[in-house]
Amino acid sequence: MQKLSGRTALLLAAGIFSAQPVLAQDAAALTPHQQLARDIYRDVIAFRTARGQEQVPAMVSYLVERFKKAGFSDADIRVTDYDSDGEKTQGLMITYRAKAGGTEKPIVLLGHMDVVDALEKDWVRPPFTLTEEDGYFFGRATMDNKYGITNLTSTFLRLKAEGWQPSRDLVLVFSGDEETGMISTEAQAKYVAENIDPAFVLNSDAGGVALAEDGTPVAFQVQSAEKTYATYELTVNNPGGHSSRPRADNAIYELAAALEKIAAYKFPVQATDLTRSYFATAGKLTPGELGQAMLRFAADPSDASAIATLQADPESVGTLGTTCVATMLQAGHAENALPQSATATVNCRIFPGTGAAATEARLKEIVGNDDVMFKLITDVTESPESKLRADVKAAVRYSLDKRYPGLTILPYMESGGTDGMHYRGLGYDTVAISAAAMKASDMFAHGLNERLPVASFYGGLDHWYWILKKLAE
Ligand SMILES: [Zn+2]
């Protein structure tokens, strides 16, 4: 997953919310289910499932044993090998079969088993050992995404132990290289489309309860769309020459002129039902002029002064449309030589439905110089916005009300980067609804000393239980 949207930080900073703080959990008084979940969490964090370590298959074997012991049969378990750019990895799918007569389409539940690597020497505590300290669980992927894997797995085991039979198939789909090549994700998504054809997909790898710094809940965020990530290299070549004999054309000047045009350009403002309702809700939670601008934009997406205010806010500008920005620069080869080439890297976050090709065409038009060559250097996965279906929203409401009665549900668009985009790309409504409850200041996914509040770990263990009961009973 990506870090929570910056908007969260802003909402949290506002600190204008009232609700009960999460209570600390007494470690001595764990229920059997809490103990089981904690054991799984400890065990899966111990697998260093980072690129280069090839530990995903070992983690898969561990999980398979857990599911078998709980009563899932070989026919319910599907393990697949993948080669992710030379790295051996695996995917795991577990089907919880519907009782006889179930006719509703299945539900697919996503998590990823791989992690961004962590170096022991850089961490205060060992990254691949679960450490409980000061009210936190520390360790790589305590948040991203072994909390999701643990929560979904332990929920399946708990429901099975209760003898519960769902009214429709529920399928866990755990990928093995979400943080890198997404080879397993792509193949699994294709398999799901061809063989399972679910009603919708729920992802454990984003979203969740945003807490204010004093621990009060602000909103439950539902990741409902991801912008398309595309990076271009813009290059100008030139015959060069001696710097004592400048020529009229110069690779650096030409590239710089192109970049100035891109800097000055604003892509057209776009609004969808999702982004308008996001601003309508966020506006109520955000004080001052910015909150007012959000409300005005939600009411009228052509309101020029609201747009100007939101475009000046780095946390909001990405929700208004496509953005492209220069991020790297390389040019010349000697201080006394005319540059033979100059290259800039331009990273774009493309609004759903716009398309990378159209964005590149627009950039070329803005630059207006055929000497500037464009090269797309990233794989591009385009994905449409997903609906937060009424049945899914009702299930989230039902589960949420047991923890945080009446908490606002806030669908949002993320800058992009989870397994979900591949399922959206195949036409499945996919929303990420993690059980985690976090302050912005506790967010260390991908970074050093990643952590999850202990209270959030235990507090979220019923999250999927109630959601699945509501959606499949
Ligand atoms: Zn993730």
Side-chain angles (χ1 to χ4, degrees), residues 1-2 112 114 144-145 178-179 205 417-418 446:
M1 70 172 294
Q2 302 245 335
H112 67 86
D114 62 311
D144 181 15
N145 178 232
E178 189 265 359
E179 299 287 7
D205 191 30
T418 71
H446 295 195

